[in-house]
Amino acid sequence: MAAKTQAKTRVFSDVDYERKGKQATVLRVPQSRNDSGWGVVQIPITVLKNGKGPTVLLTGGVHGDEYESQIAISELARTLEPSSVQGRLIIIPALHYPAAVNGTRLSPIDNKDLNRCFPGRPEGTFADVLAHYVTEILLPITDVNLDLHSGGRAMEFVPSTTAHVLDDRAKMAETEALALAFGAPYHVVIKEVDAGYTFMTTCERRGVTAISSELGGGNRVSIPGLASTRRGIMNALKHLGVIRGKLDKSGPKTRVVTVPDYGCYAFAPQAGLFEAYHPLGAKVRKGEAAGALHFIDDPHRKPIIIDYGYSGELWCTRGQGQVSAGDPVAVLVAVR
Amino acid sequence: MAKAANSRIMCDLDWNKPGRQVSVLRVPQSRDDAGWGTVEIPIMVTAGSEARGKGPTVLFTGGVHGDEYEGQIAISRLARSLDPRRLKGRVIMIPAVDLPAALAGRRLCPLDNRDLNRCFPGDPRGTFCQMLAHYIDSVILPMVDVSVDVHSAGHSADSALSTNMHHRADATTMKRTLALAAAFGAPYNVVFWGVDEGATLTSSVERRQILSIGTELGGYGRVSVDGVRVAERGLANVLKHLGMIAGKPETAQADGAAGTRHMMVRDNVAYTFCPAEGLFEPRHTAGTSVKKGATAGLVHFVEDPSREPIELKYRQSGVLWMAMGPGRCRKGDTLAVVMRDYEGG
């Protein structure tokens, strides 16, 4: 079965997922260019296998401008020795590599968001081919996926883990236990905008336990976000028994929160310059002004005041001044 | 009087009329689909009547870099609310000088890919930014006594909320500029020495002996909640300090300090530069006290996770004024600027 799908992927690598020890190599994704018809894009991958235990797939940089995970996961790839691992760890610090080295959410190769390309297609563009490899080659051998995100350029978040609401109660409890071990300030059980073609949804369909995260953002490397990422990854791996040791509980106690409905999202009604009135984490009320949308080409036009549609805590704010119509400018969470 | 014969920019403002005027600078911009097209840059002039007595002319500019938003918001708000019946003198307000860049949310102008703040004193026969710089330098600045150019750090970085000024050889100018900055009342004021800024708006302002301060009020390409507040209060404070509106400047700081802390960036050791392309992990946020020799951050190589990151250190002690923004950095980029307490001179 695996062999059949493997034959279809166009990605190749000398990695042997069944070999014991540590392998630091690359996935080669073919990318025909004018100056290199047989050119490939090399995506660093590190695999550690030892003893008995689950297989954990650890991915960062699915969006290129989300840096915290790229740094923390690179460190792990560099420093972890196979003797300290029980099970198998597949580490890809910058999965959507062309976007990561470009510092953008979308790939400069095909202008696609990798996290809207799952489960992928081998005959598609770069991002489709890559998503297909992850779905068909990596997920069948994966028990748990930690796919770490942050707010990138567009958004800024209170550091948090995220997971979807699942029909399978046992799976949901297992997922939540993993998130609590990770130990970010919030664990957000989310109804996401456009989740159908994401990595996490594909993991869920394949029965892989999956958590994701939002660990900073705002167009830079977040210092508290990175601290949360480093601590969280180690805690999650300890919780899963892949690494020995006690959980680091030095972070704040995790609060489980939800995004119950789309009322939690405040969207910009049109393009403009958004001025938020509250910092992240603020407690706000339904009907209260979230901020003002200014029109810089016509300073005498009154700004549009955007209200919160829900009472809760401010989890996410717009990470950039300029907004387009339909962009979220604030996302609220409710304490469960 | 205020007409440069050779400028191609049109404006129907009567610069000497009392009251409130709202207009645009009309900058010709020939396009494929509009050969006689123009770009309209909003400009507002509010002037008190002669009866209220004479006062200075102040120029408030925002959006010289399009992705620096706090000034755009604060100056727009002031333009809507400033009452000419309670004003002495004249306030010229251009909330978004490089409007095409402001609407694009970019530092550089999308029409000519130039940094307006590197185009002064400008050229009437040049590109969009050069034309605009020339109009400001040759038409507007001759009328101006005091200039406040509101910047923030844009996408490049985040800044400790601050005003800034050049070190001036003339002791009287220096004293008056320091007093203006103190009246603005940002948490910090930064005095610069010997910076190569020959092509900036500030350099044009200074060549004309106009009192001048700039600001850095946020960054990372977003709107700073605190930066907007400091900008709004600062603009009103400047008008109070100059006796143009009633009241005394309010300079109390969030940390309990009574006023602005004067700082300086005197030499190259204030700067930490990027030694190689990579992904920068900063160790401190803007406004943090840092020590010489302490780790400023690490440049990581996600291209090759087995390569050790490069550690960068601060070269002087002080307060972090500028903290690098976007994670990706290139060789030669400024990653940190440390200011230290002003020592006079």
Side-chain angles (χ1 to χ4, degrees), chain A residues 81-163:
Chain A
E81 291 306 322
S83 57
S84 54
V85 170
Q86 286 296 312
R88 178 166 53 181
L89 206 46
I90 302 172
I91 304 174
I92 311 177
L95 182 56
H96 208 187
Y97 183 82
V101 292
N102 199 42
T104 51
R105 179 179 178 91
L106 309 187
S107 167
I109 292 180
D110 54 14
N111 212 30
K112 284 191 178 178
D113 179 335
L114 177 61
N115 212 26
R116 301 293 180 274
C117 293
F118 280 86
R121 299 182 302 133
E123 72 280 18
T125 65
F126 182 90
D128 299 318
V129 171
L130 182 57
H132 175 261
Y133 181 86
V134 173
T135 304
E136 296 300 338
I137 308 300
L138 296 183
L139 290 190
I141 57 172
T142 298
D143 299 301
V144 178
N145 173 231
L146 263 63
D147 178 36
L148 301 183
H149 288 247
S150 56
R153 194 165 157 165
M155 296 184 272
E156 189 169 6
F157 288 91
V158 175
S160 44
T161 46
T162 59

Side-chain angles (χ1 to χ4, degrees), chain B residues 76-97:
Chain B
S76 294
R77 209 169 251 155
L78 181 71
R80 283 193 298 273
S81 63
L82 193 62
D83 183 352
R85 291 166 303 180
R86 294 172 185 207
L87 183 70
K88 271 189 195 176
R90 176 169 59 174
V91 187
I92 302 172
M93 291 162 279
I94 315 177
V97 182

Side-chain angles (χ1 to χ4, degrees), chain A residues 174-239:
Chain A
E174 183 192 335
T175 306
E176 190 162 312
L178 176 63
L180 292 176
F182 191 100
Y186 285 159
H187 175 54
V188 184
V189 181
I190 188 176
K191 179 183 169 74
E192 208 177 334
V193 172
D194 192 23
Y197 296 97
T198 62
F199 191 6
M200 192 190 269
T201 300
T202 299
C203 285
E204 288 157 2
R205 288 196 186 120
R206 299 279 171 139
V208 172
T209 302
I211 61 168
S212 186
S213 68
E214 299 294 354
L215 293 161
N219 194 37
R220 71 200 192 283
V221 177
S222 158
I223 295 173
L226 182 53
S228 216
T229 309
R230 286 185 168 123
R231 191 171 55 232
I233 293 171
M234 292 309 285
N235 278 347
L237 294 178
K238 287 172 185 171
H239 170 81

Side-chain angles (χ1 to χ4, degrees), chain A residues 220 275 299-300 320-322, chain B residues 20 77 80 102 155 220-221:
Chain A
R220 71 200 192 283
E275 173 197 6
H300 276 267
Q320 297 283 286
Q322 290 286 344
Chain B
R20 184 163 174 240
R77 209 169 251 155
R80 283 193 298 273
H155 281 95
Y220 291 152

Side-chain angles (χ1 to χ4, degrees), chain B residues 84-254:
Chain B
R85 291 166 303 180
R86 294 172 185 207
L87 183 70
K88 271 189 195 176
R90 176 169 59 174
V91 187
I92 302 172
M93 291 162 279
I94 315 177
V97 182
D98 192 346
L99 185 77
L103 293 179
R106 292 178 44 184
R107 179 181 180 88
L108 306 188
C109 178
L111 298 180
D112 56 12
N113 213 29
R114 286 192 178 236
D115 180 333
L116 174 62
N117 214 26
R118 302 292 181 273
C119 290
F120 282 85
D123 176 359
R125 300 178 62 185
T127 65
F128 180 86
C129 283
Q130 290 172 315
M131 257 195 279
L132 187 55
H134 172 262
Y135 184 87
I136 292 169
D137 182 66
S138 63
V139 179
I140 296 183
L141 291 189
M143 300 184 278
V144 172
D145 301 299
V146 178
S147 157
V148 180
D149 185 28
V150 185
H151 285 248
S152 56
H155 281 95
S156 317
D158 191 24
S159 57
L161 303 181
S162 51
T163 46
N164 58 72
M165 55 185 275
H166 287 164
H167 183 263
R168 309 290 293 271
D170 174 54
T172 310
T173 306
M174 190 67 200
K175 201 174 147 191
R176 290 177 64 212
T177 311
L178 277 167
L180 179 68
F184 188 99
Y188 298 99
N189 175 49
V190 184
V191 181
F192 277 114
W193 261 261
V195 182
D196 173 25
E197 291 206 325
T200 63
L201 170 57
T202 302
S203 65
S204 265
V205 166
E206 286 175 355
R207 274 194 289 271
R208 292 180 180 273
Q209 310 302 317
I210 297 165
L211 209 54
S212 162
I213 58 170
T215 73
E216 296 293 349
L217 294 171
Y220 291 152
R222 65 167 172 13
V223 179
S224 160
V225 177
D226 292 333
V228 172
R229 285 179 194 144
V230 171
E232 285 176 354
R233 191 179 77 163
L235 296 177
N237 279 347
V238 165
L239 298 182
K240 289 174 183 171
H241 172 71
L242 298 169
M244 297 172 71
I245 59 173
K248 281 198 164 164
E250 295 161 24
T251 61
Q253 303 298 329

